[in-house]
Amino acid sequence: MAALPALPPSALAAMLKDSLAAAVVAALLAAPLLGLRLVDSAQGLSLATRFPWIAYAAAAVFCGRLALSLAGASLGRRLKSRPQTTLPLTKKPSNTRKIIGWVLIVVALVLPWLPFADRNLVDKATLLLIYVMLGWGLNIVVGLAGLLDLGYVAFYAVGAYSYAILSQTFGLSFWICLPFAGAAAATFGMVLGFPVLRLRGDYLAIVTLGFGEIVRVILLNWADFTGGPGGISGIARPSFFGLPFKAAAGPGETTFADFFGLTFSPLHRIVFLYYLILALALATNLFTLRIRRLPIGRAWEALREDETACRSLGINPTKTKLSAFAIGAMFAGFAGSFFATRQGFISPESFSFIESAIILAIVVLGGMGSQIGVVLAAVLLCGLPEWFRDLQQYRMLAFGGAMVLIMLWRPRGLLASRDPTIRLPALPDAAP
């Protein structure tokens, strides 16, 4: 607060007014989220009020907004007082995000073995990793290539149904069906890509939304092939290199517990599925980080920034768009096949538009183009409904309110990353 006397009265008044407005908005949002709580009693459900919580939330937002304004003003004065220098075109990347990434990987690896980890936690972490993988796949289409896709769940569904149908029809294992499911989803991605080559922005979003609904309606009505509204049940579960997770071995069969000399526990399969989706998600992340440094990845970024300039540089937008749709859809197909084998049952209800909206929200709120931002947003958006489970029917209201707050606080996402992957070195000064 020592910087207050150095501020002009008009600037200080503007900061206080802005902080007060933010506090009022926070109070309005906190009224249904924090001020009301469902209480279950013998007389039934009733609403209880928690008005002090609203006041605490408004006060916290007021103080936080004022502190940010004061810090910004102080930083602006320091920058103005510095001599003007010419910044080079290259800059040393920060290692903070790399450190955060490695910390998250270590936490994910040891999570099932922590003292407080139980079956419920591992199962929820598995579901969270599915959304992380889907977010990384959609990040290729939206974050890197700049193509707004509202029908991404269609590729998710294609991968799930491809695995279920191949597994039940031909008796193939998960490891054999996995690449076929990814190839089928990539094919559908290219099928979607061809009609939308000339579309941009809102028009592209409308067409992709329609594509997602077409796939869902086909799954509902083609009952002879997809099972219709009843879905497909009895989907085969994956094994550990041929070792099934069973309590008793069949004729000529060795179970996972017998091979390693362990006592059978249903938790073995849960932990195996967790590490399986963790490996698939990390492979998706590694592939994305590598390919964005290749010519095709730089072409995606050029297409995202300006398609007209991209054409002038000799880049083929047709191939660039199709490659983004196909690769993004392929990872959705992989995630869909894992979802099918994890659940053992799939139906069209699992692939509604709300799933596409959640995946897109993860990419946008995390910061388009940011891999770590997708992880943080997935943790927030998928974990938030569980934190507000006691609100019951107010859970989705809490979900929407959190999204609004994040976009007000960080309009470009939690960890925005739209800088070019490769920067040209500074050119030497021309000789006089």
Side-chain angles (χ1 to χ4, degrees):
M1 301 299 292
L4 286 176
L7 291 174
S10 59
L12 182 59
M15 291 181 184
L16 292 174
K17 183 178 179 180
D18 180 67
S19 302
L20 181 61
V24 171
V25 173
L28 293 176
L29 293 175
L33 300 178
L34 301 177
L36 300 177
R37 182 177 183 272
L38 281 175
V39 178
D40 191 3
S41 61
Q43 292 76 22
L45 294 176
S46 60
L47 279 177
T49 58
R50 298 184 295 191
F51 294 120
W53 288 39
I54 302 176
Y56 298 152
V61 171
F62 177 84
C63 296
R65 184 65 178 178
L66 183 59
L68 288 175
S69 300
L70 292 174
S74 176
L75 179 61
R77 290 197 303 272
R78 288 199 301 267
L79 291 178
K80 288 181 179 179
S81 62
R82 290 181 180 178
Q84 297 295 327
T85 58
T86 303
L87 296 177
L89 293 178
T90 58
K91 64 177 182 180
K92 185 178 180 180
S94 175
N95 292 326
T96 304
R97 296 189 181 184
K98 291 184 180 180
I99 296 175
I100 295 175
W102 283 109
V103 169
L104 292 176
I105 291 175
V106 172
V107 171
L109 289 174
V110 302
L111 178 63
W113 312 108
L114 296 178
F116 56 84
D118 55 4
R119 176 169 182 167
N120 184 38
L121 177 62
V122 176
D123 197 57
K124 289 181 180 178
T126 303
L127 181 62
L128 176 65
L129 285 173
I130 294 177
Y131 280 101
V132 170
M133 184 175 177
L134 289 171
W136 280 338
L138 184 59
N139 198 28
I140 294 176
V141 182
V142 178
L144 299 184
L147 305 172
L148 185 57
D149 188 355
L150 294 180
Y152 192 69
V153 73
F155 312 125
Y156 186 38
V158 168
Y161 273 87
S162 298
Y163 167 73
I165 294 172
L166 288 174
S167 176
Q168 291 196 342
T169 304
F170 302 102
L172 301 177
S173 66
F174 170 79
W175 305 104
I176 297 177
C177 294
L178 181 65
F180 286 104
T187 303
F188 271 80
M190 296 185 67
V191 170
L192 170 63
F194 274 110
V196 301
L197 290 177
R198 297 179 180 272
L199 300 179
R200 305 181 188 178
D202 299 339
Y203 303 100
L204 175 62
I206 293 172
V207 173
T208 55
L209 173 62
F211 180 81
E213 287 301 302
I214 288 173
V215 171
R216 187 183 65 84
V217 171
I218 290 176
L219 296 178
L220 280 172
N221 295 324
W222 199 356
D224 295 337
F225 188 65
T226 65
I232 301 176
S233 60
I235 302 174
R237 301 299 180 92
S239 61
F240 183 79
F241 298 101
L243 301 176
F245 296 91
K246 295 181 179 179
E253 189 179 48
T254 303
T255 64
F256 175 83
D258 293 338
F259 183 83
F260 289 99
L262 304 173
T263 303
F264 171 77
S265 173
L267 191 61
H268 293 163
R269 183 178 62 85
I270 302 299
V271 174
F272 171 71
L273 290 175
Y274 170 80
Y275 280 115
L276 177 58
I277 186 58
L278 178 61
L280 291 174
L282 291 178
T284 303
N285 180 43
L286 179 62
F287 180 89
T288 305
L289 293 176
R290 294 299 182 184
I291 199 172
R292 69 185 300 175
R293 296 182 179 274
L294 297 178
I296 183 62
R298 299 199 295 272
W300 290 340
E301 293 181 341
L303 182 69
R304 176 191 67 190
E305 299 300 331
D306 194 328
E307 184 172 343
T308 303
C310 181
R311 291 176 182 271
S312 67
L313 292 174
I315 299 174
N316 189 336
T318 300
K319 294 181 180 179
T320 304
K321 289 183 179 180
L322 290 179
S323 63
F325 274 116
I327 294 177
M330 178 184 67
F331 290 118
F334 291 155
S337 62
F338 175 83
F339 174 79
T341 193
R342 171 181 177 267
Q343 297 293 113
F345 168 79
I346 54 174
S347 67
E349 295 178 357
S350 301
F351 309 102
S352 59
F353 168 73
I354 188 62
E355 294 295 322
S356 287
I358 292 176
I359 300 169
L360 182 62
I362 288 174
V363 175
V364 175
L365 296 182
M368 292 190 294
S370 173
Q371 298 292 94
I372 299 180
V374 168
V375 178
L376 298 180
V379 172
L380 181 63
L381 295 185
C382 297
L384 190 66
E386 298 299 327
W387 299 335
F388 285 89
R389 182 170 289 275
D390 59 336
L391 294 177
Q392 297 185 20
Q393 65 260 41
Y394 288 93
R395 289 170 62 196
M396 292 310 296
L397 185 60
F399 177 85
M403 290 173 51
V404 172
L405 288 176
I406 292 174
M407 295 312 295
L408 289 175
W409 173 49
R410 300 282 293 180
R412 297 183 61 187
L414 294 175
L415 294 175
S417 178
R418 289 180 65 92
D419 293 334
T421 302
I422 295 180
R423 292 177 177 269
L424 297 176
L427 296 176
D429 296 334

